[in-house]
Every structure is written in structure tokens, then in C-alpha cells.
Amino acid sequence: MGLFDRFRRKQRPGVLRAATSTDTTHMEQWASSRRGVEAYVEPKTTVTETTVVLVAHDGEWTRRRIDGEDGARRLAKKLKIPIYDAGIVGYPKRMREYSRRKENRG
């Protein structure tokens, strides 16, 4: 260990960051302040942990890490929202339209 290694905040390259309570809190607050929210689980890959995309009725969305598929199901149950596997059903059209509108605005 180098002299200043303990002061570094970044993780080493190649180490995946796991979900934190900050991620979960963000999703809970985000979902409670929007209507028609649905959850889309994205599987773990070689570069990212399992993530959940929350999509509101108007297509607005947010993505955060989650503690696996079971963690995603628990979150959806707690928030009382439907949950889908993004790899099977894809993403809703309204999400793509929302992203397109944001790009064109800015």
C-alpha cells in the first residue's frame, strides 16, 4: 500500500461498485415523487453490477445499482410498482421519446 492510498476515494480499476443505501434511497424518493413508475432490471455485466431503471408515466427515467435481481424485486414490492426484465421486454417507448426530447432541448 502506498503512502496516500488510504486517502483515495476512487476504487481500483476493475473493481465493481456495489449498490449502496444512497442508491436505494434515491430510487425510493424518485419513485414516490412521480406517477406511473415501472422498474426494469438490467443484468450484471462484466463492467457493471445489476441495475434498475425506473421509468415514470411521461418517460422520465433514472438508473441505479441494486443488490441483484432479488434486491430489485424487493424494491419493486416495497414501492408497489411493476417490475420487468429489460433483457426480455426491452424498454418502454416513452423512455426513448423522453430521452429524444431532452437531447433536442439541450
Side-chain angles (χ1 to χ4, degrees), residues 50-64:
T50 303
T51 53
V52 170
V53 177
L54 299 180
V55 183
H57 79 284
D58 62 353
E60 182 182 5
W61 59 275
T62 187
R63 175 183 286 122
R64 292 293 186 274

Side-chain angles (χ1 to χ4, degrees), residues 2 6 13-15 24 36 47 50-51 57 76 78-79 89 93 99 104:
R6 68 178 141 178
V15 176
T24 305
V47 293
T50 303
T51 53
H57 79 284
K78 180 178 182 179
L79 298 175
V89 302
K93 182 179 177 183
S99 294
N104 292 334

Side-chain angles (χ1 to χ4, degrees), residues 13-30:
V15 176
L16 298 177
R17 184 178 74 81
T20 65
S21 61
T22 303
D23 295 318
T24 305
T25 300
H26 167 79
M27 289 187 286
E28 290 172 358
Q29 291 174 345
W30 193 92

Side-chain angles (χ1 to χ4, degrees), residues 26 29-31 33-40 53-63 92-102 105:
H26 167 79
Q29 291 174 345
W30 193 92
S33 65
R34 287 152 181 88
R35 61 187 175 90
V37 176
E38 298 174 329
Y40 292 82
V53 177
L54 299 180
V55 183
H57 79 284
D58 62 353
E60 182 182 5
W61 59 275
T62 187
R63 175 183 286 122
K93 182 179 177 183
R94 67 184 186 277
M95 179 183 168
R96 292 186 298 276
E97 291 169 346
Y98 178 86
S99 294
R100 200 171 301 118
R101 286 191 310 268
K102 291 280 285 187
R105 276 190 237 155

